[in-house]
Structure formats: structure tokens, C-alpha cells
Amino acid sequence: MSAAASTLRGMTLEQKVGQLFVANVYGKTADTPHPKNREEFGVDTAAEVVKRYHLGGVIYFAWTDSFHNARQVAELSNGLQRAAVSSGNLPLLVSTDQEQGVVTRFGPPATQFPGSMALGASRSTEDARKAAEITGQELRAVGINQDFAPDADVNVNPANPVIGVRSFSSDPKLVSDMVAAQVRGYQGGLPTQGVSANVKHFPGHGDTDVDSHYGLPVINHTPEQWAQLDAPPFRAAIAKGVDSIMTAHIVVPKLDDSGEPSTLSPKVITGMLRGELGFRGVVYTDSLRMEGARKKHPDARLPVLALKAGVDVLLMPQYLELAINSVIDAVRTGELTERRIDESVLRILMMKLKRGILTKPFVDPAAAEKLVGNKRNQVVAQKVTDNTVTAIRNDDKLLPMRAKPGKVLVTGWSDTAATWGTASTQTLSKQLNARGVATTALTTGLRPTSQAIDSAVAAAGQNDAVVVLTNRAAKEPLQRQLLEKLAATGKPVIAVAVRDPYDAAHVDAVKTWLNTYSFSAGSMESVAKVVLGELSPKGKLPVSVPSASDPNVVRFPFGHGLTW
């Protein structure tokens, strides 16, 4: 702490306030001009953003042009760190949201794992730890030293539009065990090998039917419900020494009747997270660009109110210069004290020191190329993924297909717009083809047109069996229509839900259902293995699946999972 305190004493107010902010800078390299930098920050390059605003951290996304390959990301990180250090500022926290599964920022060549709910289905805390360890090591190799993962929300609401498979389970104990394992995985080993984990979204975002990106959700959990349902995973993370925790832009009236989102609530942040749970690490806001944060207050007030609530780091404000100036002005007018700023900066400095960021901010791009996505990591990832496939229905004993079908149609939803990799239908088709099955891939989309449905039905008639991928068919009637019409052909139909496990309760006409919780290439390989009998499904439902006609009736219970 003495080194961090000594560093703090030498900082100006502007430098201290800069440390409180994380911005999404743009460009393939630190010195590549990008029009969005000029539009949002008034300068041309990411390096200039870092220098101008004394930033404490940056965050990478695909849409910021940050991810191309391992060497490029490593060189980007080094360039940004040089910009910070050369301008007299401190090395940066470089972060991303690599939850894996549906929230994956760094795609291939980085090793891909199937995501939280898939790991919950495996029930293996060791697999969860390995996934986090490999993910963390690969991120650190390219200069990313903080991962906004794992998700600690307990997803008890099947209608949740923003969490869903990002959660490990609807069971607080299972979520707690998996979160603790992943915190160990991310933060284990030498300080310069792993990354700072960040569990989210406090006080718990698992029971909402509103997406806080677009609205302000209200969760009506009582303090007793919160303590039993939402709090345990955060307690488990804190017990494992998690570096940081992210807030949720949600209103929980029975925890705080002020009507403020939790991000801006002293009762939630200082009273519950700091006081009741005893968290001494760094508290982050979720993105301040989200509508849930901006619903009630102007952008200039959000950073000040968050700091007054007890938050330390302000993530992605809509207008960075306005946000920084609002904090400086609040100090100069006395609304915030410089001592309050120092408290947060000291926590940030201690985290940077603990993770070796202050002493070793740079990485070796050549070493990153060798480590990221190497053969060993890929083998581990496939073994982990193989443990996650869940067989929900096999009423007609269609699986496993001991006698290989001559021709198979692979159709349904596919991630054709995904940033990374090949479309799921094509990937699964190739995996079956490699195993001696003649296949046709036909993508019909999230909301298949009548023409697409007719084409799939016609193609089914030319094949011996059909594998159809679904994505949230429970909410998409046109996907259900496709399933029903394919079942009516009389051909054997295997449905594979590649995201939420709730789809299987919505189309009774299809009697064979698998769930992968993921549409990664590894998950498609696991499906091919299960279909053809190379692999027995091991997954168990990590949530209960309600009946389509009555959400209060359980159709497939927690823990359900067939095998053979």
C-alpha cells in the first residue's frame, strides 16, 4: 500500500480524476487515426485520447476495431501503454468483456469456450476454473489485464432479455461455486499471468424482463430474497479475493426506496456492498451509456452521483470530457472532496500494483502469437465443451444414430452476422461431413420467411434426417413454425437449442431436443459427436424449463438431462 500511497501523493487532481475513467478508444493500433476518436474525443488516435484525458483504463470491443489477431492486439496494448507512460501518466487497466459464449469480444484465434450456462450444465467447477485460467492467460498475453467476467447473476427469470445464458444457473449455490472457481482461474498464478476478474452485476440482474441497455429494470426482491438468492455469488467472489465488482443499472425498491438505479445508490453500494458484504476492492459502474443509467439524470450528473454512492471507476460515459469536467468541478465546488477521490484512486492503484500492471505493463507480441489459441488450449476447450451438451428429449430414441444416415439437412438459425468464425449451420454440417455423413446446410434465420420455411421443408424431403438449430424459439413464433413443419414431413428431426434452454418446451411435435447454450464451433463439434454416438451427453439443466402454456408449471426440472 505504501507504494500506491506514495504514487498518489505525486498526482495532480486532473491525473487522479483521469484514473477514475475507462473509455472505449478506437483503432487497430494506438496511432491509427479513426473518425470516431475525433467525433467522440476531439483527437484522431487512441494514443491521443489516453494522453489528453489521463485515462486510468481503456476497453476493447470488436466495434472499436480492437480485435484482429494476437500480435495486433498485443501491439495495440503496448502502444496505448507507451502513450500513457510517456505522457507522465500511470500504466493502463486494459479491459474487455470476454465472458465467453454469447459475450465474446476476442474471437478466433483466441481459444473459445461455450459460456457460463454451458459450464453450469457441466456442473464441473474444475472446467469453469480451467476456462477462466486459459481465457485470462490469453488475454494477458495480448496486454489485456482485466476481464469483466464472470457474471454472478442468478437467472431465475426465463424472460430475462439481457442475462439468460450469461448466468451459470438459476441456483444460487451452483452460481456461487462456479463464480468462485472462475475468480480463482482468472486471478490465479503469477500476477503478470492472469487478469483482474470483475463480477457483475451487483446487486443482481437475474430477475428482470427489461434490458438495462434500453430501459431501467425494476426488481422487487425483498432484503430476505436478495440475501438468499442474489447475494451468495457475490459473497463467494469476495471470499476468493475478487479484484473488482460491477454495478447494475436496476432499481430494487425494497432495498432502496429512493428510486435511484443501484449504480447511483449509496444504500446499495456503500451500505450493502461495502458495509454488509465487506467488499474492499474496486467498484465499477456498468457502461454509463446504457439507458438504465441515463434514464433519470443528465450525463454530467452521473459520474458525480456514482462517486457519491461509493463507486470507484466510471465506465464508458457518453461524453468523456463532460464527465471528467463534472467530477473536477464537483471537487472544486465542494460537492465531492479530494479525499473522496483519493480513496477511489488508491484502490485502483493497489489493484494495478497487485496485478503487476504498474511494474510490467508491456507484453511480447511474438509470445502472444504462440500462446493465444495454441493446440493445448484448444484441446482443453473441446474437452470442456464436450461436457456441456444436455439432452432434454429423446422420446423416439432417435439418438444416438448408431447407423449413420446417408444424407442430413442442417438448417435453422445461424450466426451469419457474427464477427467471428463460420456460421453454425455450416460448422455443424462440416463436422458431420467429416464423420462420413453427406450434409446440406441451409440457414433460415432468426425469423424465417415463408419462403425460407418452404425451402427447408422441401430440402428435408431430399434427406434422411434433419438437424435444426434454434435460438430463442420460445420467443420467436416463426422458428416454432419451421420446427412444426419440419416435424410434419415425417423425417427424423433433431432440434438443437444453441442458446436458451427454454425452447424445448415450446414445440411438442419435435421429440428430440439437445441444448448447447452456445453456438461456438466447439459446441457444434460436440453436437456432431452426440448425434453420431461418439459422445454421451453429460449436461444437466442448470435452470428449470417452464411449460409453454403455464410459466408456473415446470416442464423440465433443474438437473434434468438424459444420457445413454
Side-chain angles (χ1 to χ4, degrees), residues 521-542:
S523 294
M524 295 305 98
E525 181 174 340
S526 298
V527 168
K529 291 176 180 176
V530 169
V531 168
L532 297 178
E534 292 178 27
L535 176 71
S536 296
K538 300 181 181 70
K540 304 292 183 186
L541 279 175

Side-chain angles (χ1 to χ4, degrees), residues 59-61 67 95-100 103-106 139 146-149 166 200 246 286 315-316:
I59 182 170
Y60 293 169
F61 297 92
F67 290 113
S95 56
T96 195
D97 297 278
Q98 190 81 344
E99 295 176 19
Q100 298 282 14
V103 178
T104 297
R105 309 304 188 200
F106 190 12
L139 291 177
Q146 181 175 47
D147 191 9
F148 292 134
R166 297 171 62 192
K200 54 193 185 184
M246 181 180 288
D286 203 342
L315 179 61
M316 296 171 59

Side-chain angles (χ1 to χ4, degrees), residues 108-131:
T111 303
Q112 306 295 292
F113 287 91
S116 297
M117 193 169 283
L119 293 171
S122 79
R123 299 299 197 271
S124 173
T125 53
E126 179 58 15
D127 281 0
R129 187 197 65 77
K130 286 179 187 174

Side-chain angles (χ1 to χ4, degrees), residues 378-400:
Q378 298 288 355
V379 168
V380 172
Q382 192 58 55
K383 287 181 178 177
V384 168
T385 306
D386 283 349
N387 292 333
T388 63
V389 178
T390 307
I392 298 179
R393 295 184 68 180
N394 193 27
D395 299 6
D396 293 337
K397 306 299 181 187
L398 187 56
L399 298 179

Side-chain angles (χ1 to χ4, degrees), residues 331-533:
V331 174
R332 288 176 175 158
T333 61
E335 184 178 6
L336 287 170
T337 65
E338 191 161 354
R339 182 177 178 181
R340 169 68 192 88
I341 302 300
D342 288 351
E343 289 174 1
S344 288
V345 176
L346 186 59
R347 291 190 191 104
I348 295 163
L349 295 182
M350 289 174 66
M351 182 169 72
K352 288 184 175 184
L353 195 62
K354 179 181 178 183
R355 291 293 151 216
I357 296 163
L358 296 183
T359 54
K360 194 178 178 182
F362 301 105
V363 294
D364 179 353
E369 280 189 312
K370 291 179 182 177
L371 175 66
V372 172
N374 67 24
K375 183 67 179 294
R376 174 194 166 274
N377 290 353
Q378 298 288 355
V379 168
V380 172
Q382 192 58 55
K383 287 181 178 177
V384 168
T385 306
D386 283 349
N387 292 333
T388 63
V389 178
T390 307
I392 298 179
R393 295 184 68 180
N394 193 27
D395 299 6
D396 293 337
K397 306 299 181 187
L398 187 56
L399 298 179
M401 289 185 159
R402 303 291 184 192
K404 289 181 181 176
K407 294 188 294 182
V408 171
L409 171 66
V410 181
T411 190
W413 179 87
S414 192
D415 51 329
T416 50
T419 306
W420 309 112
T422 308
S424 308
T425 49
Q426 294 176 12
T427 304
L428 178 55
S429 179
K430 288 175 181 176
Q431 287 292 340
L432 291 168
N433 198 250
R435 289 163 168 78
V437 178
T439 57
T440 300
L442 178 63
T443 298
T444 55
L446 183 68
R447 299 181 181 93
T449 63
S450 297
Q451 184 178 1
I453 292 172
D454 291 344
S455 296
V457 169
Q462 305 301 312
N463 285 270
D464 300 314
V466 180
V467 180
V468 55
L469 307 184
T470 72
N471 184 331
R472 295 186 164 179
K475 300 177 181 179
E476 297 294 344
L478 293 172
Q479 285 189 51
R480 301 199 297 272
Q481 187 180 126
L482 170 68
L483 289 162
E484 287 160 358
K485 290 199 173 183
L486 287 170
T489 66
K491 298 287 184 176
V493 176
I494 301 162
V496 183
V498 299
R499 187 162 175 160
D500 299 350
Y502 309 111
D503 294 1
H506 286 259
V507 183
D508 277 339
V510 176
K511 312 222 176 268
T512 308
W513 278 89
L514 302 175
N515 211 103
T516 60
Y517 318 91
S518 159
F519 40 86
S520 70
S523 294
M524 295 305 98
E525 181 174 340
S526 298
V527 168
K529 291 176 180 176
V530 169
V531 168
L532 297 178

